[in-house]
Amino acid sequence: MEKSKLPVKTWFMCIHLMTSTKKAFSALEMQRQLGSKRYEPIWYMMQKIRLSMAKRDAKYKLQGNIEVDDAYFAIVDLPEVDELGNKKGSGRVVNTDGKDDGEQKRGRGSQKQQQVLVMVESNPNPDQKNTHKKKRAMGFVKMVIMDNLKGDSVNYEVAKAVHPNSSAITDAMGGFTKLKAILANHTATVIPKKEAGKTLPWVHTVIANAKRLFLGIHHSVGKEYLQNYLSEYCYKLNRRNFQSDLFDRMILAGANDTWY
């Protein structure tokens, strides 16, 4: 709330609405709910709350058996806008060397897709007797946007998010081959497409639900802010079974951030 011109009551109402549902609010819907005349302050307020959610989850590490996989999320990269609202440039895709790409790529490496590393606690559940449900129990989740999925980059993010005594379960992608250097155990399996849901049951569920949520609520997500939306999704998912008030927890998380 530092240097914010919005009333404290507006902040509290926004935090309550954002934490009262497992789904999400778009900034436009939040603006309607709060009765605000301006969109930009509401959007900025929600981004700051999402950042606090990310900082809170960063304090914890995943443990036990961890399903690890990569995902690709659709993003938009809008052209810059000047003070008068006019778009700068053509908005075409440009490489880091300044050369125009012309047509955009498809599949892996596409400019319309952002690479994301997904890690999910997935431990055996001996009490599960329902044959229609997964035989593993899902714990906490972390999702991190990645510039690339090379071994060193993957190891860097996994080391920050996962306890070293944990075991990783992955497919046979080359970027996961170095995980055994930082974790107690690593099992890599060549997974046929039809068997992916059985070998890595929870990581695929988490990815699919996130994509449906973003498409239904936000419709499109900017490249620079995808991590914030992923952090909100993970924060709520990790607290899906908490009985205490999530509003109080979010207030404490925001207050604690001022000390760092």
Side-chain angles (χ1 to χ4, degrees):
M1 302 177 188
E2 183 180 5
K3 297 181 180 179
S4 174
K5 295 182 180 180
L6 293 172
V8 174
K9 180 181 178 181
T10 300
W11 276 89
F12 281 6
M13 291 176 64
C14 182
I15 293 173
H16 167 69
L17 290 172
M18 288 183 69
T19 57
S20 63
T21 174
K22 291 183 179 180
K23 300 298 183 180
F25 276 89
S26 67
L28 188 60
E29 178 61 26
M30 184 65 71
Q31 180 190 3
R32 293 193 188 101
Q33 294 289 337
L34 298 178
S36 176
K37 295 181 180 180
R38 296 187 60 206
Y39 171 86
E40 289 78 8
I42 303 301
W43 177 89
Y44 187 60
M45 174 175 58
M46 295 180 73
Q47 295 298 342
K48 292 182 72 174
I49 294 171
R50 292 182 181 114
L51 285 172
S52 290
M53 291 178 173
K55 291 179 181 179
R56 192 63 171 179
D57 270 1
K59 298 179 183 294
Y60 308 104
K61 286 195 172 186
L62 306 182
Q63 300 184 47
N65 296 313
I66 314 297
E67 295 180 23
V68 184
D69 202 3
D70 62 311
Y72 290 82
F73 282 77
I75 54 173
V76 293
D77 195 1
L78 300 176
E80 296 183 9
V81 179
D82 61 20
E83 296 178 355
L84 299 177
N86 300 316
K87 295 182 179 179
K88 298 180 181 179
S90 62
R92 300 185 69 183
V93 178
V94 178
N95 279 330
T96 54
D97 58 5
K99 296 181 179 179
D100 196 333
D101 262 355
E103 295 184 1
Q104 295 194 357
K105 301 175 183 177
R106 295 183 178 181
R108 288 179 182 260
S110 170
Q111 297 91 339
K112 293 183 178 180
Q113 301 285 330
Q114 175 63 54
Q115 299 170 325
V116 176
L117 183 66
V118 186
M119 297 158 280
V120 182
E121 289 179 345
S122 176
N123 295 301
N125 184 13
D127 297 329
Q128 180 56 263
K129 298 180 181 180
N130 191 331
T131 57
H132 298 288
K133 294 186 177 181
K134 298 178 178 63
K135 296 181 179 180
R136 306 180 70 86
M138 184 180 74
F140 278 24
V141 177
K142 293 204 175 192
M143 304 176 78
V144 184
I145 63 171
M146 303 287 290
D147 292 330
N148 63 74
L149 290 168
K150 296 179 180 179
D152 291 339
S153 299
V154 170
N155 277 21
Y156 176 76
E157 293 297 340
V158 171
K160 290 197 302 181
V162 179
H163 194 280
N165 291 333
S166 302
S167 300
I169 308 169
T170 72
D171 58 23
M173 190 184 79
F176 298 143
T177 56
K178 296 183 179 181
L179 285 176
K180 57 185 177 183
I182 61 170
L183 298 178
N185 186 38
H186 173 220
T187 302
T189 308
V190 177
I191 306 175
K193 189 173 183 180
K194 293 182 179 180
E195 298 295 323
K198 296 181 180 179
T199 307
L200 300 172
W202 282 116
V203 74
H204 286 94
T205 299
V206 167
I207 294 170
N209 287 346
K211 288 184 176 181
R212 285 196 293 267
L213 175 69
F214 292 172
L215 183 62
I217 302 296
H218 304 296
H219 305 304
S220 62
V221 177
K223 181 178 180 180
E224 296 180 7
Y225 305 103
L226 176 61
Q227 183 62 65
N228 291 353
Y229 293 100
L230 292 173
S231 297
E232 179 189 10
Y233 171 73
C234 292
Y235 181 89
K236 292 182 178 182
L237 187 60
N238 291 340
R239 289 156 182 78
R240 62 195 180 277
N241 296 322
F242 284 19
Q243 299 299 321
S244 57
D245 194 345
L246 291 181
F247 172 82
D248 293 341
R249 289 179 175 273
M250 191 63 250
I251 293 294
L252 289 173
N256 288 336
D257 283 343
T258 62
W259 297 99
Y260 295 91

